[in-house]
PDB file of all heavy atoms in Angstrom:
ATOM      1  N   LEU A   9     -19.394   2.956   8.857  1.00 77.00           N
ATOM      2  CA  LEU A   9     -19.347   3.383   7.479  1.00 77.00           C
ATOM      3  C   LEU A   9     -20.623   4.114   7.152  1.00 77.00           C
ATOM      4  O   LEU A   9     -21.729   3.615   7.116  1.00 77.00           O
ATOM      5  CB  LEU A   9     -19.259   2.186   6.506  1.00 77.00           C
ATOM      6  CG  LEU A   9     -17.930   1.483   6.551  1.00 77.00           C
ATOM      7  CD1 LEU A   9     -18.065   0.184   5.723  1.00 77.00           C
ATOM      8  CD2 LEU A   9     -16.826   2.341   6.029  1.00 77.00           C
ATOM      9  N   PRO A  23      -3.748   0.296 -12.367  1.00 90.00           N
ATOM     10  CA  PRO A  23      -4.869   0.519 -11.421  1.00 90.00           C
ATOM     11  C   PRO A  23      -5.223   1.982 -11.312  1.00 90.00           C
ATOM     12  O   PRO A  23      -4.404   2.868 -11.360  1.00 90.00           O
ATOM     13  CB  PRO A  23      -4.282   0.032 -10.102  1.00 90.00           C
ATOM     14  CG  PRO A  23      -2.759   0.127 -10.238  1.00 90.00           C
ATOM     15  CD  PRO A  23      -2.537  -0.092 -11.676  1.00 90.00           C
ATOM     16  N   THR A  40      -1.392  -5.010   3.424  1.00 82.00           N
ATOM     17  CA  THR A  40      -1.678  -5.406   2.013  1.00 82.00           C
ATOM     18  C   THR A  40      -0.559  -5.025   1.017  1.00 82.00           C
ATOM     19  O   THR A  40      -0.507  -5.630  -0.056  1.00 82.00           O
ATOM     20  CB  THR A  40      -2.967  -4.834   1.528  1.00 82.00           C
ATOM     21  OG1 THR A  40      -2.883  -3.395   1.474  1.00 82.00           O
ATOM     22  CG2 THR A  40      -4.160  -5.254   2.295  1.00 82.00           C
ATOM     23  N   LEU A  51       0.448   3.332  -5.165  1.00 89.00           N
ATOM     24  CA  LEU A  51       0.863   4.460  -4.258  1.00 89.00           C
ATOM     25  C   LEU A  51       0.693   5.791  -5.003  1.00 89.00           C
ATOM     26  O   LEU A  51       0.309   6.803  -4.432  1.00 89.00           O
ATOM     27  CB  LEU A  51       2.307   4.244  -3.813  1.00 89.00           C
ATOM     28  CG  LEU A  51       2.517   3.095  -2.828  1.00 89.00           C
ATOM     29  CD1 LEU A  51       3.988   2.790  -2.637  1.00 89.00           C
ATOM     30  CD2 LEU A  51       1.820   3.405  -1.530  1.00 89.00           C
ATOM     31  N   ARG A  56      -2.735  10.712  -5.759  1.00 94.00           N
ATOM     32  CA  ARG A  56      -3.668  11.451  -6.580  1.00 94.00           C
ATOM     33  C   ARG A  56      -4.988  11.761  -5.829  1.00 94.00           C
ATOM     34  O   ARG A  56      -5.563  12.846  -5.885  1.00 94.00           O
ATOM     35  CB  ARG A  56      -4.030  10.667  -7.856  1.00 94.00           C
ATOM     36  CG  ARG A  56      -5.002  11.354  -8.762  1.00 94.00           C
ATOM     37  CD  ARG A  56      -5.408  10.474  -9.948  1.00 94.00           C
ATOM     38  NE  ARG A  56      -6.114   9.284  -9.586  1.00 94.00           N
ATOM     39  CZ  ARG A  56      -7.453   9.275  -9.258  1.00 94.00           C
ATOM     40  NH1 ARG A  56      -8.190  10.349  -9.219  1.00 94.00           N
ATOM     41  NH2 ARG A  56      -8.070   8.107  -8.946  1.00 94.00           N
ATOM     42  N   LEU A  64      -0.993   9.258   4.171  1.00 91.00           N
ATOM     43  CA  LEU A  64      -1.118   7.902   3.820  1.00 91.00           C
ATOM     44  C   LEU A  64      -0.467   7.088   4.908  1.00 91.00           C
ATOM     45  O   LEU A  64       0.746   7.221   5.186  1.00 91.00           O
ATOM     46  CB  LEU A  64      -0.384   7.536   2.479  1.00 91.00           C
ATOM     47  CG  LEU A  64      -0.278   6.127   2.103  1.00 91.00           C
ATOM     48  CD1 LEU A  64      -1.605   5.470   1.901  1.00 91.00           C
ATOM     49  CD2 LEU A  64       0.557   5.990   0.805  1.00 91.00           C
ATOM     50  N   ILE A  66       0.560   3.439   6.369  1.00 84.00           N
ATOM     51  CA  ILE A  66       0.808   2.060   5.964  1.00 84.00           C
ATOM     52  C   ILE A  66       1.218   1.258   7.161  1.00 84.00           C
ATOM     53  O   ILE A  66       2.182   1.672   7.856  1.00 84.00           O
ATOM     54  CB  ILE A  66       1.826   2.003   4.885  1.00 84.00           C
ATOM     55  CG1 ILE A  66       1.396   2.771   3.636  1.00 84.00           C
ATOM     56  CG2 ILE A  66       2.183   0.580   4.517  1.00 84.00           C
ATOM     57  CD1 ILE A  66       2.422   2.896   2.537  1.00 84.00           C
ATOM     58  N   ASN A  70       4.720  -8.231  10.690  1.00 63.00           N
ATOM     59  CA  ASN A  70       6.137  -8.614  10.781  1.00 63.00           C
ATOM     60  C   ASN A  70       6.420  -9.988  10.142  1.00 63.00           C
ATOM     61  O   ASN A  70       7.484 -10.537  10.244  1.00 63.00           O
ATOM     62  CB  ASN A  70       6.645  -8.604  12.215  1.00 63.00           C
ATOM     63  CG  ASN A  70       5.933  -9.640  13.086  1.00 63.00           C
ATOM     64  OD1 ASN A  70       4.953 -10.260  12.664  1.00 63.00           O
ATOM     65  ND2 ASN A  70       6.373  -9.821  14.315  1.00 63.00           N
ATOM     66  N   ALA A  77       2.886 -13.279  -1.496  1.00 66.00           N
ATOM     67  CA  ALA A  77       3.579 -12.019  -1.835  1.00 66.00           C
ATOM     68  C   ALA A  77       4.008 -12.023  -3.284  1.00 66.00           C
ATOM     69  O   ALA A  77       4.304 -13.038  -3.842  1.00 66.00           O
ATOM     70  CB  ALA A  77       4.768 -11.806  -0.910  1.00 66.00           C
ATOM     71  N   LEU A  82       9.124  -9.857  -2.936  1.00 66.00           N
ATOM     72  CA  LEU A  82      10.065 -10.844  -2.446  1.00 66.00           C
ATOM     73  C   LEU A  82      11.485 -10.553  -2.885  1.00 66.00           C
ATOM     74  O   LEU A  82      12.418 -10.727  -2.063  1.00 66.00           O
ATOM     75  CB  LEU A  82       9.627 -12.241  -2.979  1.00 66.00           C
ATOM     76  CG  LEU A  82       8.317 -12.733  -2.407  1.00 66.00           C
ATOM     77  CD1 LEU A  82       7.916 -14.040  -3.069  1.00 66.00           C
ATOM     78  CD2 LEU A  82       8.331 -12.913  -0.913  1.00 66.00           C
ATOM     79  N   LYS A  89      17.422  -7.782   2.880  1.00 61.00           N
ATOM     80  CA  LYS A  89      17.862  -8.717   3.941  1.00 61.00           C
ATOM     81  C   LYS A  89      19.329  -8.994   3.842  1.00 61.00           C
ATOM     82  O   LYS A  89      20.037  -9.107   4.864  1.00 61.00           O
ATOM     83  CB  LYS A  89      17.016 -10.002   3.932  1.00 61.00           C
ATOM     84  CG  LYS A  89      17.227 -10.859   5.115  1.00 61.00           C
ATOM     85  CD  LYS A  89      16.245 -12.073   5.073  1.00 61.00           C
ATOM     86  CE  LYS A  89      16.457 -12.943   6.306  1.00 61.00           C
ATOM     87  NZ  LYS A  89      15.584 -14.094   6.260  1.00 61.00           N
ATOM     88  N   PRO A  95      14.688  -3.889  10.042  1.00 49.00           N
ATOM     89  CA  PRO A  95      13.531  -4.756   9.656  1.00 49.00           C
ATOM     90  C   PRO A  95      13.255  -4.592   8.138  1.00 49.00           C
ATOM     91  O   PRO A  95      12.962  -3.505   7.694  1.00 49.00           O
ATOM     92  CB  PRO A  95      12.409  -4.194  10.521  1.00 49.00           C
ATOM     93  CG  PRO A  95      13.094  -3.435  11.613  1.00 49.00           C
ATOM     94  CD  PRO A  95      14.350  -2.968  11.057  1.00 49.00           C
TER      95      PRO A  95
END
Side-chain angles (χ1 to χ4, degrees):
L9 290 172
T40 62
L51 290 168
R56 180 186 66 77
L64 170 62
I66 299 174
N70 62 352
L82 294 175
K89 190 174 182 181

